[in-house]
Amino acid sequence: MTSDNVPADIRIDLKSDTKHLASIRGLILSLTQTCGFDVVESGHIALAVDESLANIIRHGYQHRNDQPINISIWLLKDDQPGIKIVIEDEAMQIDPDDICGRDLDDIKPGGLGVHIIKDVMDECTFAKRECKGMRVTLLKHLKPKTLDCTENTKTPR
Amino acid sequence: MSSQQNIEVETKTLPAGILLKPKGDIDLSRAPAFRTEIAKGIQKANGAVFIDLNDVPYMDSSGVATLVEALKTTSQSGNRLVLFGMQERVRSIFEIARLDTVFKITETLEQAQED
């Protein structure tokens, strides 16, 4: 799988089991901090990935634990450094316009995941994959003061 | 079915109510157990429910949903629910969801017990 025909820097294939969530959070935290995101931003990116995976497991796969999920990660360079994360599944396709969080003024359990993802990421898009399943694309750019992960040994903070 | 992990929730009876102290990350794998333990604690409560989050380094929206449900249950029975000792990363999700003004959130148990 490629993004703009560039192969991913990291690709993870996992099964839809919630026991993997903590490991993926740990990986994203470590990776984003290495890239130069601060602790808060790294936590937010890990939260967005966690919520995306939880949505797939809960709604897409109805808690089945043996279904495929693919995570591809690009460490963005050039003039807009940051991180791009694409998560794909093979669950039933739904209209991306139907994926929305609840009204925050309506205080009730549930419906927060999508709102949180959209709030913490610079970009978040849901799409139907070409053959089957759904794709969520998450994008977060480094703030100007933070470092490009490709040059963090060269550029003073 | 996807894995469901247990969560330890320490329970202590206080003069003003009950103290519940969950330990560990609360994500989709632990939310069902967390929900069960919190419901048990609320049933035992004879007064306010104080939830100590000092030992919860991470919480996702499924954990937050459990606490929203707990807040509604305690409110319906005329009791208070107070969260305290919230770590920065957990506080952040309450702020994003704009629930930091819906819950009573304090730093310490002593503050939590003040009316």
Side-chain angles (χ1 to χ4, degrees):
Chain A
M1 211 270 305
T2 64
S3 174
D4 300 328
N5 295 321
V6 178
D9 291 292
I10 296 170
R11 184 182 160 95
I12 304 158
D13 296 333
L14 69 150
K15 295 223 173 132
S16 55
D17 197 315
T18 54
K19 71 181 179 186
H20 300 309
L21 292 175
S23 302
I24 298 297
R25 286 199 302 274
L27 172 76
I28 298 293
L29 275 174
S30 172
L31 186 64
T32 49
Q33 286 181 37
T34 303
C35 285
F37 287 100
D38 65 29
V39 173
V40 173
E41 290 169 327
S42 293
H44 283 168
I45 297 167
L47 175 64
V49 171
D50 189 71
E51 293 287 352
S52 301
L53 293 173
N55 277 343
I56 292 169
I57 294 169
R58 185 166 40 197
H59 301 298
Y61 288 139
Q62 305 291 314
H63 289 279
R64 280 175 290 161
N65 65 355
D66 58 352
Q67 300 300 301
I69 299 175
N70 308 312
I71 305 173
S72 302
I73 301 169
W74 287 263
L75 307 176
L76 304 177
K77 301 161 191 170
D78 303 325
D79 57 334
Q80 280 205 307
I83 192 165
K84 179 177 180 177
I85 303 165
V86 174
I87 306 173
E88 296 178 314
D89 62 54
E90 295 182 7
M92 190 174 68
Q93 293 188 323
I94 57 171
D95 186 340
D97 291 339
D98 290 341
I99 304 172
C100 55
R102 70 160 163 78
D103 178 0
L104 291 183
D105 292 330
D106 181 15
I107 308 299
K108 62 181 182 184
L112 290 172
V114 173
H115 173 80
I116 289 166
I117 297 166
K118 288 185 172 176
D119 189 279
V120 301
M121 299 303 290
D122 292 335
E123 290 180 29
C124 166
T125 54
F126 296 91
K128 291 180 183 177
R129 293 176 67 195
E130 292 72 19
C131 46
K132 57 182 174 180
M134 300 295 292
R135 173 186 300 122
V136 57
T137 302
L138 308 173
L139 185 64
K140 184 82 172 178
H141 292 295
L142 280 163
K143 290 175 187 168
K145 276 186 177 179
T146 53
L147 296 173
D148 181 342
C149 54
T150 61
E151 298 180 355
N152 60 2
T153 56
K154 300 174 188 171
T155 310
R157 188 177 286 269
Chain B
M1 289 292 286
S2 202
S3 300
Q4 292 190 4
Q5 296 177 39
N6 291 330
I7 186 166
E8 182 185 345
V9 179
E10 196 177 295
T11 304
K12 187 178 177 184
T13 304
L14 302 174
I18 195 164
L19 171 65
L20 303 173
K21 184 172 187 176
K23 295 182 178 181
D25 287 359
I26 301 173
D27 62 11
L28 187 60
S29 70
R30 283 180 156 170
F34 182 52
R35 186 169 182 260
T36 302
E37 294 299 321
I38 293 294
K40 277 186 203 168
I42 290 173
Q43 277 186 343
K44 288 180 197 166
N46 185 20
V49 177
F50 304 102
I51 301 183
D52 181 350
L53 295 172
N54 273 296
D55 289 342
V56 178
Y58 177 82
M59 185 182 293
D60 76 353
S61 64
S62 62
V64 173
T66 297
L67 292 176
V68 170
E69 190 180 359
L71 179 65
K72 286 193 174 269
T73 305
T74 50
S75 297
Q76 283 164 5
S77 58
N79 289 320
R80 291 189 304 137
L81 182 142
V82 188
L83 309 176
F84 71 95
M86 201 178 267
Q87 296 189 23
E88 200 53 47
R89 188 176 290 173
V90 174
R91 181 180 285 275
S92 174
I93 191 169
F94 279 80
E95 289 170 354
I96 293 165
R98 292 190 223 149
L99 290 168
D100 53 323
T101 54
V102 173
F103 284 88
K104 180 174 181 185
I105 301 171
T106 68
E107 294 295 321
T108 66
L109 176 60
E110 289 70 32
Q111 292 166 348
Q113 291 183 99
E114 291 170 5
D115 277 322

